[in-house]
């Protein structure tokens, strides 16, 4: 499986994905997972897609929820849920990246996004308290996703 | 002939960051023609102050997701010069490989995803996915391989971590390098030649507009200068990088939160076209053949051809990557540790050709090895005055066309420079002199 972080750690809560990866790495929580930080280049997510395997993407997402709220959703729901992506590469956010992967037939079946509602996206700030304290929940959600995925039967491609 | 014209493109698409095109002509007199940069300034240099020499490159690599590697390498070079850290030949070769991967990726993405839609008369890359899926797949294949060069050499392509002051924390394996080499030969070369064919068929969509300006890039006696070299100007000749402030002369203009630059004239150009004009004699045959096929000639003064120059040098990056890998393997990979024992604490300058042009970082370190002062001069900032001057020359030439046509020509002009406004918008907030 792959855990892919999107976002810029120089911009406050946009760094939540990188912070989650760091925790997973430090505490050896997912020894078999490939951890990838694509920074703000959402299009690079395509480079890390494989036909088989689970992909969990962590990103700060403006969803109109309370800061620090953790929401799991699927690519189909991305257009509806992600309203904030101005740091994207030339206008490529996750929604565009999924649309492109889909249309060239390279969208994997098993992709899950874990969005965290940011409080502050300002340069040279660390994570807000609300988002920092959501990290355990993000990690629990990833681990639950791994369990759920393992319980399912996946055809090989 | 129309005598009044009023164009305002708010938040130009397919460039990185927020910029507006504003053109205003009254009774045949051009009152305004400029690219307004409205993005809020970002205080990169202030962020560096007080950080240790281990941290500087990590912070600067995060300035921008698409320019990450260029900032990092430039930062490392500035730090190494300031602290007197010598690096090995293997380190230089691996860094050159990284720069090739990053330039290849950026240039290919710009040509296919940001410029090609204009040549094909569509609003974005998405219609191409339906009409030309094989072209989009090819572009993504090339991007992925370029990205993988970064992954193999630096750990992670977009947020590289193994390059540190004095060298690398991890050296790629022979097997990894051989696999990249194989894919460059078997996949990249045919994809590159197909790219040249595709662009050749579209070449007539590139506007014919000429305005000579000053072209500034690095130049090296040894190779096509990307990793290092002297500053080279078509007006001023070769200048040592120590004099980079005199070869940029930043100044503030009211319509831009990014500073403008000028040297010998009111503006100058950096980027692939400047590199081509100054260094085409150092390109490999694959790149020179592409230039021939795409009609790119020495001393080209058409800014729209910057996209073509990017594609030409992408061929060089691919082939020279093969040559660098061969040299690394011939010499034998050495499991070196980075040299991190400073021999002095002073000021150092890093100058690198990144995809959008020459990038400068200068740092001064205190006796604890912490940044006391920092200055970064970004390629897009250097091009802004030149873009404005191009617009002033272009609008009167095309004033008889429809407003829609003129607007498109102006948008294409700005996109040809491949500007990264996010990077360019920053203000110096730290006193420079010790």
């Amino acid at each position: 499986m792959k855990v892919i972080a999107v976002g810029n750690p120089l911009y406050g809560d946009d760094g939540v994905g990188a912070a989650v990866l760091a925790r997973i790495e430090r505490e050896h929580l997912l020894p078999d997972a490939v951890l990838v930080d694509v920074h703000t280049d959402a299009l690079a997510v395509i480079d890390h897609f494989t036909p088989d395997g689970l992909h969990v993407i962590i990103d700060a997402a403006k969803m109109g929820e309370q800061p620090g709220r953790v929401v799991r959703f699927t690519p189909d729901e991305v257009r509806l849920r992600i309203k904030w992506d101005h740091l994207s590469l030339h206008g490529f956010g996750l929604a565009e990246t999924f649309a492109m992967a889909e249309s060239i037939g390279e969208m994997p079946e098993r992709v899950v996004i874990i969005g965290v509602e940011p409080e502050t996206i300002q340069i040279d700030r660390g994570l807000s308290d609300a988002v920092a304290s959501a990290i355990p929940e993000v990690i629990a959600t990833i681990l639950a996703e791994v369990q759920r995925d393992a319980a399912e039967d996946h055809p090989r491609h | 002939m129309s005598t009044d014209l009023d164009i305002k493109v708010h938040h130009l698409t397919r460039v990185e960051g927020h910029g507006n095109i504003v053109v205003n002509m009254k009774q045949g007199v051009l009152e305004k023609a400029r690219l307004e940069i409205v993005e809020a300034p970002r205080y990169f240099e202030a962020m560096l102050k007080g950080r240790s020499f281990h941290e500087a490159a990590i912070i600067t690599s995060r300035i921008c997701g698409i320019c990450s590697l260029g900032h990092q390498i430039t930062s490392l070079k500035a730090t190494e010069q300031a602290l007197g850290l010598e690096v090995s030949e293997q380190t230089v070769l691996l860094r050159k490989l990284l720069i090739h991967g990053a330039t290849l990726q950026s240039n290919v993405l710009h040509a296919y995803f940001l410029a090609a839609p204009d040549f094909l008369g569509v609003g974005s890359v998405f219609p191409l996915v339906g009409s030309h899926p094989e072209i989009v797949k090819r572009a993504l294949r090339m991007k992925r391989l370029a990205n993988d060069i970064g992954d193999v050499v630096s750990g992670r392509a977009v947020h590289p971590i193994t390059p540190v002051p004095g060298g690398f924390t991890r050296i790629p394996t022979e097997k990894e390098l051989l696999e990249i080499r194989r894919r460059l030969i078997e996949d990249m070369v045919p994809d590159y030649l197909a790219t040249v064919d595709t662009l050749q068929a579209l070449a007539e969509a590139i506007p014919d507009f000429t305005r000579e300006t000053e072209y500034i890039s690095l130049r090296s006696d040894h190779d096509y200068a990307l990793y290092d070299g002297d500053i080279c100007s078509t007006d001023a000749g070769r200048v040592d990088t120590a004099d980079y402030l005199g070869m940029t002369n930043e100044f503030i203009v009211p319509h831009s939160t990014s500073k403008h630059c000028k040297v010998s004239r009111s503006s100058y150009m950096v980027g692939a076209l400047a590199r081509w004009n100054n260094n085409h004699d150092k390109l490999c045959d694959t790149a020179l053949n592409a230039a021939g096929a795409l009609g790119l000639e020495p001393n080209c003064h058409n800014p729209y051809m910057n996209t073509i120059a990017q594609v030409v040098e992408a061929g060089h990056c691919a082939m020279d990557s093969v040559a660098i890998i061969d040299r690394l393997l011939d010499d034998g990979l050495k499991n070196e540790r980075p040299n991190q024992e400073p021999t002095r604490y002073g000021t150092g300058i890093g100058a690198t050709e990144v995809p959008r042009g020459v990038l400068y970082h200068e740092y001064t370190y205190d006796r604890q090895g912490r940044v006391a002062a920092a200055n970064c001069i970004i390629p897009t900032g250097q091009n802004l005055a030149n873009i404005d001057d191009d617009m002033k020359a272009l609008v009167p030439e095309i004033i008889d066309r429809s407003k829609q046509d003129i607007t498109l020509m102006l948008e294409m002009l700005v996109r040809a420079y491949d500007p990264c406004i996010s990077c360019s918008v920053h203000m110096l907030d730290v006193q420079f002199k010790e």
Side-chain angles (χ1 to χ4, degrees):
Chain A
M1 73 164 296
K2 288 185 181 178
V3 183
I4 303 171
V6 183
N8 191 343
L10 288 188
Y11 278 79
D13 289 337
D14 202 34
V16 64
V20 168
L21 284 194
R23 177 81 64 91
I24 293 174
E25 204 163 13
R26 198 168 56 236
E27 297 179 8
H28 307 288
L29 298 175
L30 289 165
D32 298 328
V34 177
L35 307 179
V36 183
D37 184 355
V38 298
H39 199 262
T40 57
D41 183 3
L43 185 58
V45 170
I46 287 192
D47 297 336
H48 298 283
F49 278 163
T50 48
D52 299 306
L54 173 66
H55 304 74
V56 180
I57 298 171
I58 320 288
D59 195 8
K62 269 229 162 106
M63 304 172 288
E65 305 277 353
Q66 286 291 313
R69 178 79 199 281
V70 179
V71 182
R72 171 209 184 268
F73 50 101
T74 61
D76 297 338
E77 298 168 309
V78 165
R79 263 175 216 284
L80 302 174
R81 303 308 293 260
I82 296 185
K83 298 207 171 66
W84 185 87
D85 65 354
H86 85 262
L87 280 177
S88 60
L89 169 88
H90 299 300
F92 274 86
L94 275 183
E96 288 83 4
T97 300
F98 293 152
M100 175 155 290
E102 193 95 21
S103 50
I104 58 168
E106 289 191 11
M107 187 69 200
E109 279 170 27
R110 293 146 70 201
V111 178
V112 168
I113 300 104
I114 297 175
V116 183
E117 182 74 34
E119 181 178 309
T120 169
I121 305 279
Q122 280 183 40
I123 195 157
D124 206 15
R125 298 273 172 89
L127 296 182
S128 65
D129 290 345
V131 168
S133 50
I135 288 177
E137 189 186 343
V138 175
I139 288 174
T141 311
I142 298 172
L143 297 176
E145 201 57 47
V146 173
Q147 282 197 338
R148 187 201 332 259
D149 189 75
E152 288 171 4
D153 200 16
H154 300 291
R156 306 268 319 162
H157 290 86
Chain B
M1 170 175 159
S2 34
T3 56
D4 289 341
L5 179 69
D6 197 11
I7 290 175
K8 185 156 173 95
V9 179
H10 183 72
H11 191 170
L12 174 67
T13 58
R14 278 184 276 142
V15 302
E16 184 67 18
H18 294 191
N20 305 328
I21 293 174
V22 176
V23 171
N24 195 272
M25 187 180 246
K26 277 211 179 92
Q27 298 181 334
V29 179
L30 191 60
E31 293 185 335
K32 271 185 207 165
R34 66 199 190 190
L35 180 63
E36 294 186 346
I37 305 296
V38 293
E39 202 157 300
R42 305 156 66 180
Y43 298 93
F44 302 149
E45 289 97 340
M47 223 183 289
L48 284 168
K49 196 172 179 183
R51 306 285 191 142
S52 88
F53 75 88
H54 297 285
E55 290 177 290
I58 296 171
I59 293 166
T60 52
S61 76
R62 287 172 169 167
I63 286 173
C64 172
I66 59 173
C67 309
S68 169
L69 188 111
H71 279 296
Q72 184 177 39
I73 298 277
T74 310
S75 176
L76 291 175
K77 290 197 302 181
T79 293
E80 285 157 1
Q81 197 187 75
L83 303 183
L85 301 172
E86 296 285 333
V87 300
S88 70
E89 199 186 336
Q90 175 174 280
T91 291
V92 171
L93 287 172
L94 287 171
R95 287 181 182 172
K96 285 183 174 180
L97 197 52
L98 277 177
I99 295 274
H100 279 336
T103 306
L104 182 53
Q105 167 159 242
S106 181
N107 287 8
V108 163
L109 272 182
H110 178 251
Y112 274 109
F113 285 14
L114 309 173
D118 286 326
F119 302 157
L120 290 159
V122 292
S124 81
V125 71
F126 284 97
L128 302 186
V129 178
S131 60
H132 302 81
E134 73 292 345
I135 291 183
V136 175
K137 280 187 182 179
R138 186 202 299 149
L140 288 172
R141 209 160 46 228
M142 294 171 81
K143 171 194 158 35
R144 180 175 293 194
L145 175 46
N147 199 56
D148 286 350
I149 295 176
D151 273 358
V152 161
V153 179
S154 75
R156 289 171 196 167
V158 177
H159 175 200
I161 42 170
T162 64
V164 294
F168 284 81
T169 54
R170 175 187 174 274
I171 307 298
T173 65
E174 182 173 331
K175 191 178 159 204
E176 286 171 333
L177 290 176
L178 281 172
E179 174 61 9
I180 291 288
R181 188 190 190 283
R182 182 193 67 75
R183 289 169 62 199
L184 282 166
I185 301 284
E186 290 177 17
D187 302 335
M188 185 62 83
V189 169
D191 278 344
Y192 179 71
L193 296 176
T195 300
V196 173
D197 283 349
T198 301
L199 271 177
Q200 200 175 8
L202 297 175
E204 63 189 31
I206 295 169
D208 182 18
F209 164 71
T210 294
R211 185 185 73 84
E212 189 183 353
T213 186
E214 181 176 10
Y215 299 89
I216 295 182
S217 71
L218 297 181
R219 178 165 174 88
S220 160
D221 293 333
H222 313 293
D223 54 11
Y224 185 76
L226 293 173
Y227 178 72
D228 56 9
D230 298 332
I231 303 170
C232 176
S233 151
T234 45
D235 287 358
R238 281 173 82 163
V239 178
D240 194 280
T241 51
D243 298 323
Y244 83 101
L245 288 173
M247 293 302 286
T248 47
N249 300 305
E250 283 189 312
F251 62 101
I252 291 169
V253 293
H255 67 277
S256 170
T257 49
S258 168
K259 288 175 187 170
H260 281 205
C261 293
K262 63 179 173 184
V263 182
S264 311
R265 313 182 186 202
S266 61
S267 61
Y268 64 90
M269 185 174 184
V270 297
L273 189 65
R275 292 192 285 263
W276 161 261
N277 282 336
N278 287 337
N279 298 319
H280 56 83
D281 59 312
K282 300 286 186 190
L283 285 167
C284 72
D285 287 346
T286 304
L288 288 173
N289 290 340
L294 297 170
L296 180 65
E297 289 174 0
N299 305 314
C300 173
H301 301 147
N302 178 356
Y304 290 96
M305 290 296 274
N306 192 53
T307 306
I308 298 301
Q310 287 181 325
V311 171
V312 165
E313 67 180 9
H316 182 82
C317 291
M319 298 316 292
D320 200 47
S321 293
V322 173
I324 289 174
I325 290 173
D326 286 346
R327 200 160 142 213
L328 281 164
L329 296 181
D330 282 351
D331 293 350
L333 289 169
K334 291 171 272 300
N335 201 13
E336 305 165 337
R337 302 302 302 161
N339 167 20
Q340 300 201 323
E341 296 299 323
T343 56
R344 64 191 196 97
Y345 293 103
T347 296
I349 297 160
T352 314
E353 283 290 340
V354 298
R356 289 155 191 81
V358 57
L359 168 67
Y360 304 101
H361 283 209
E362 174 171 6
Y363 307 147
T364 300
Y365 281 93
D366 65 19
R367 296 190 145 273
Q368 282 74 46
R370 297 185 182 279
V371 177
N375 188 24
C376 308
I377 298 184
I378 275 77
T380 294
Q382 298 177 65
N383 273 332
L384 291 174
N386 206 62
I387 294 174
D388 286 359
D389 281 352
D390 277 350
M391 285 189 185
K392 287 184 199 118
L394 176 65
V395 171
E397 278 187 27
I398 58 173
I399 192 68
D400 290 331
R401 301 196 195 174
S402 70
K403 185 176 167 182
Q404 195 188 356
D405 257 18
I406 297 172
T407 305
L408 178 64
M409 287 279 281
L410 291 167
E411 290 182 349
M412 287 174 70
L413 175 74
V414 176
R415 282 191 204 111
Y417 283 83
D418 194 9
C420 187
I421 293 166
S422 305
C423 268
S424 70
V425 178
H426 72 290
M427 301 293 241
L428 182 61
D429 197 37
V430 177
Q431 283 305 309
F432 187 66
K433 274 284 160 206
E434 287 165 278

